[in-house]
Amino acid sequence: MTSYYAQLLVNGIIAGSIYAMFAVGLAMVYGVFKFINFSHGELITWGAYLTWMFSSSPFSLPVYISVVPALLITVGIGLAQDRFVYRPLRQSNPIAILIASIGLSYMLRNGIRLCWGSDLQTFDLPLSTGILLSGIYITKIQILMVLSALLFFSILYFLLTCTLLGKSLRAVSDNIELSAIMGINMTKVTWTIWVLASVFAGTGGILLALDTSLDPMMGMNSLIKAFAAVLLGGAGNVWGALIGGLFIGIAENISVAFISPDYKDFISYGLIFLLLLFKPRGFFGIAGGVR
Amino acid sequence: MKKFIFSSITVLFLISTGSVMAEEISVGSVTPLTGKLAVYGEGFQQAMLLAADEINAAGGIKGNNLKIVFEDNNSTSKGSVSALRKLITIDKLPLIFGPASSSNFLAVCPIAQDNKTILLAAESAAAAITKCGSYVFRVFPSDLLQGVGVAELTSSLGYKEVVLTYVNNDWGVGLAEVFKAEFTASGGKIIDELPHGEGKTDYRSEILRMKRHNPKAIVNLTYIKEGATILKQAYETGLNVQWLMGSASKSPKLIDLAGKASEGVIGTYPTFSQETPQYKTFKAGWEKKYPGKKTPVFGEYNYDMVKLTALALESAASDSSDDIRAALIKVSQGYIGTTGDKSFDESGDVNASYGRWTIKDGSITDYK
């Protein structure tokens, strides 16, 4: 029976590392630009669908190669979001930006439907039984998910703490006007944020699709989990997003031992509700700022 | 001149409708001729027309020709409602063949019931249709029967204890209730039952809970996509059991999506014999009228529906819907059509016989 709970914990860590990958971009965009990007979920979906497109005919590339053009295009979409929608709206009412991001999310999601239809799609990977480690099953893709999250967050840590770009990014999130006056290159910082958000979301989406399957709603469903993670960690806090993501993943999966699995999404929704009521600034208590 | 043309058109119209009323008995049909179900709708229409032609060639109904007034519903619930309203209020027809797809059918059945118009279904399976009302009938077996079918399958394969999982919607819950009642009554035991959400991509938590009980067999009442995802993820997590399923997952798409994880699944599906004289007559008639065309999906049910309607119209005391309804129930008792026994029970449903399917070497075959 211990293996049952151990398996639940492992499932939680796997799910949590992917939620964290989704949450970090959301947290960074909020940290600097101070708005919730609803179309963040669509970067997840596009990353996954583009990889799927390049790996099936007529391209028929191996999956690990199709990831490259797919992520490049996803980054392009992320940058285009900023260039054509968010930058022109930067000085306007926050509600306008929020509505624009919701509109953008619909547009990008229906773009997926238009290109590939609403039907469920899967990567044509050979099916195999997972690896059995002391009573716990884990598939190769799931190992890859956890490793990717580790690698990406390590790179992010290095970038934010050891490079000038990372330092300027943190400075900008502290005070955008003052940073500009101090001569920090705003374009470069903006680009970095969108590239990071897109790469994290896109990669997470690809891994999620490899593990399960693709459908146009996958980004939207994951976005709710990412919201909960960001709220838990404190908006704008990158490390909070990581811990928040893991916490939600684990809590959700452990809950399965007590409530019907079909209602496990209840955990993240319930958490969003409680946090907004009692701890709107998250458990790390930092409002804004990429830390 | 304009006036002349207009009045002559009016006169022609009056003459033509007049003559129609003298020689034809009309019934309505809400059929998907455009939209996403149009590929099926054309086949339904052809099967209905084949039956009508045969009836008319054999002398019609009380000497009058049977005419089916088709109204397109654009394959939507909204379109079905306006099509049905037109047939009831403008054409004033006492009997109408309802639209395909259970959700479209359920959208119109309260309207028919309220207007005391007889509504017949030839391809809608949802259990909820049983409760539509006294004016609603169907020649297609209800999903509820499948619950019984799967319970019989489970017992006959010798499984006394099973885990039950079902898709968490009206259809799945209803089906599971029937299965449970039937299976436990026959001495079976359900170790654990859990619903699974529709359209999810990750069922690992559900699978883990199923696995916890080390079952020999799992009854999985679900659709194609959900079924395939569960089979696949169960395979990955090393859950090795006999899967028992219904007819809603019987599709080559299940094999496409789940691959070798679908191997060995056993299920039930409503079926009818293609060896009966009734079926052979239908088949011969079809090949004569539509040479070179394959018989359409549910074509046999549409054909039976029209044939049964003609019998009811023939024996009805008047053309009021109440008389037709009484006649319909009466003539259906013991009526053997192309698709088997079409005797309506008190809720307007028919019985069905079930076949068994399995997946062997990557294709669906009959289980023996």
Side-chain angles (χ1 to χ4, degrees), chain B residues 84-209:
Chain B
L84 186 84
R85 283 201 193 282
K86 183 193 170 273
L87 291 171
I88 293 175
T89 53
I90 298 173
D91 297 301
K92 303 209 184 314
L93 301 173
L95 184 145
I96 293 162
F97 305 134
S101 131
S102 293
S103 49
N104 291 348
F105 194 89
L106 283 165
V108 298
C109 72
I111 306 171
Q113 181 67 22
D114 287 349
N115 287 285
K116 298 193 169 185
T117 302
I118 300 162
L119 193 65
L120 280 121
E123 58 278 299
S124 306
I129 293 173
T130 302
K131 296 185 186 115
C132 267
S134 53
Y135 288 85
V136 180
F137 299 86
R138 58 175 152 179
V139 295
F140 193 79
S142 161
D143 270 338
L144 285 180
L145 289 173
Q146 253 199 69
V148 181
V150 180
E152 283 169 4
L153 172 74
T154 312
S155 307
S156 76
L157 290 174
Y159 294 111
K160 294 270 173 255
E161 293 185 337
V162 294
V163 166
L164 167 67
T165 180
Y166 49 91
V167 63
N168 199 3
N169 63 16
D170 288 348
W171 174 80
V173 173
L175 203 51
E177 291 294 325
V178 179
F179 171 82
K180 253 189 294 182
E182 193 69 25
F183 186 61
T184 47
S186 69
K189 190 182 158 207
I190 290 162
I191 317 170
D192 190 13
E193 58 163 294
L194 65 160
H196 57 259
E198 197 180 338
K200 293 207 308 188
T201 53
D202 187 355
Y203 293 107
R204 292 207 177 86
S205 311
E206 285 85 343
I207 291 163
L208 210 53
R209 206 172 112 181

Side-chain angles (χ1 to χ4, degrees), chain A residues 1 4-5 7-8 11 118-120 122-123 127-130 137 139 142 211-213 215 253 256-257 259-264, chain B residues 168 194-202 204-206 208-209 211-212 225 229 232-233 235-238 253 257-261:
Chain A
M1 205 80 285
Y4 174 70
Y5 289 101
Q7 177 86 58
L8 288 179
N11 285 2
S118 307
D119 219 12
L120 198 77
T122 48
F123 280 98
L127 190 70
S128 63
T129 310
Y137 277 92
T139 65
Q142 291 172 331
D211 186 40
T212 57
S213 50
D215 77 297
N253 278 282
V256 169
I259 59 172
S260 169
D262 197 24
Y263 302 116
K264 72 173 180 187
Chain B
N168 199 3
L194 65 160
H196 57 259
E198 197 180 338
K200 293 207 308 188
T201 53
D202 187 355
R204 292 207 177 86
S205 311
E206 285 85 343
L208 210 53
R209 206 172 112 181
K211 204 179 161 184
R212 203 175 171 181
K225 286 196 283 188
T229 312
K232 213 170 119 181
Q233 290 173 352
Y235 185 90
E236 284 173 355
T237 24
K253 182 93 182 158
L257 290 171
K260 62 180 172 186

Side-chain angles (χ1 to χ4, degrees), chain A residues 144-267:
Chain A
L144 189 64
M145 286 163 111
V146 179
L147 290 182
S148 309
L150 267 175
L151 178 72
F152 273 61
F153 274 95
S154 312
I155 293 174
L156 185 68
Y157 179 75
F158 173 77
L159 185 84
L160 287 180
T161 51
C162 302
T163 65
L164 192 63
L165 184 65
K167 284 174 185 160
S168 31
L169 205 146
R170 283 156 59 201
V172 170
S173 70
D174 260 350
N175 191 323
I176 198 161
E177 277 99 18
L178 208 60
S179 313
I181 294 166
M182 294 304 283
I184 288 175
N185 185 341
M186 287 305 296
T187 323
K188 212 169 155 191
V189 168
T190 311
W191 276 57
T192 310
I193 288 166
W194 285 104
V195 169
L196 285 172
S198 311
V199 169
F200 270 84
T203 311
I206 296 164
L207 290 165
L208 184 65
L210 284 171
D211 186 40
T212 57
S213 50
L214 303 108
D215 77 297
M217 284 303 286
M218 62 185 284
M220 197 63 210
N221 294 335
S222 310
L223 193 67
I224 301 292
K225 308 290 166 64
F227 273 150
V230 169
L231 277 170
L232 194 66
N237 189 330
V238 172
W239 309 114
L242 171 64
I243 294 164
L246 280 173
F247 181 85
I248 292 193
I250 293 168
E252 212 176 66
N253 278 282
I254 294 288
S255 76
V256 169
F258 310 102
I259 59 172
S260 169
D262 197 24
Y263 302 116
K264 72 173 180 187
D265 284 354
F266 159 80
I267 299 291

Side-chain angles (χ1 to χ4, degrees), chain A residues 24-76:
Chain A
V24 71
L26 207 59
M28 272 196 285
V29 170
Y30 183 82
V32 174
F33 304 117
K34 304 285 179 285
F35 79 94
I36 299 273
N37 183 14
F38 268 90
S39 65
H40 186 72
E42 270 45 62
L43 296 173
I44 298 168
T45 323
W46 274 90
Y49 269 87
L50 287 166
T51 308
W52 179 69
M53 181 186 86
F54 286 117
S55 72
S56 42
S57 64
F59 302 98
S60 304
L61 298 171
V63 175
Y64 61 92
I65 296 181
S66 27
V67 167
V68 179
L71 279 180
L72 286 176
I73 301 174
T74 311
V75 168

Side-chain angles (χ1 to χ4, degrees), chain B residues 253-266:
Chain B
K253 182 93 182 158
L254 183 82
I255 304 164
D256 284 352
L257 290 171
K260 62 180 172 186
S262 64
E263 198 68 19
V265 166
I266 305 174

